[in-house]
Amino acid sequence: MRSFGADTIRNEVILVSRILLVLLFLIFGWGKLMNYTGTVGYMTQTGVPVPPLAAIVAIVMEVFVAIALILGVLTRPLAVLLGLYTLATAIIGHHYWTMTGAAQYEAEINFYKNVSIMGGFFLLYVTGAGRYSIDAMVGARKL
């Protein structure tokens, strides 16, 4: 099968992909970290179970796990973990099937955006972090 030159830039593309894949989480996770009280308030308002704990989980996943993936630390297990987190946030936060009108359309877009992002995380699980990662530096490519 032809690779169309992908083999020559594989590791560079994996690095850029890791960064782009978690950028959304990092930006919004940082906002949650900087405004924990507001995050808990928002989660309370939207009916998220145990809002203070949910806010901490969101911050850990969206900031610290995202940074670990950028650096390529424990990439394979963390990619699966963030993929499952993304599914959970889709189900909890974007339940379009209970809505109508414009709110339903917006929630449906965000739900399927999360599903698409999950695909990226599961692909990262399969490919691994690549050469430019801490995993590669410590010889943990088989994680």
Side-chain angles (χ1 to χ4, degrees):
M1 177 185 274
R2 296 194 57 156
S3 70
F4 298 101
D7 295 340
T8 61
I9 58 169
R10 179 184 192 279
N11 289 295
E12 292 78 6
V13 170
I14 292 173
L15 172 62
V16 170
S17 296
R18 287 194 335 251
I19 294 167
L20 293 175
L21 191 55
V22 300
L23 186 59
L24 174 84
F25 293 92
L26 200 51
I27 291 169
F28 287 95
W30 185 256
K32 290 175 178 77
L33 179 63
M34 293 295 101
N35 186 10
Y36 175 76
T37 304
T39 300
V40 171
Y42 173 76
M43 290 185 172
T44 301
Q45 179 184 11
T46 57
V48 174
V50 195
L53 178 60
I56 291 169
V57 169
I59 290 166
V60 168
M61 295 299 293
E62 296 179 22
V63 175
F64 299 103
V65 173
I67 290 170
L69 286 177
I70 288 172
L71 297 174
V73 177
L74 297 172
T75 303
R76 291 178 193 267
L78 291 181
V80 171
L81 184 64
L82 205 46
L84 294 174
Y85 170 80
T86 303
L87 175 61
T89 61
I91 293 168
I92 293 169
H94 307 300
H95 44 89
Y96 69 91
W97 51 91
T98 66
M99 302 173 179
T100 60
Q104 179 186 27
Y105 183 69
E106 183 179 334
E108 188 173 6
I109 289 170
N110 286 315
F111 179 88
Y112 285 105
K113 169 197 52 92
N114 280 31
V115 169
S116 296
I117 292 169
M118 284 174 46
F121 285 124
F122 295 149
L123 189 58
L124 183 58
Y125 166 74
V126 171
T127 65
R131 178 179 180 191
Y132 305 112
S133 66
I134 292 175
D135 287 348
M137 281 193 261
V138 298
R141 292 184 190 186
K142 300 292 182 194
L143 281 178

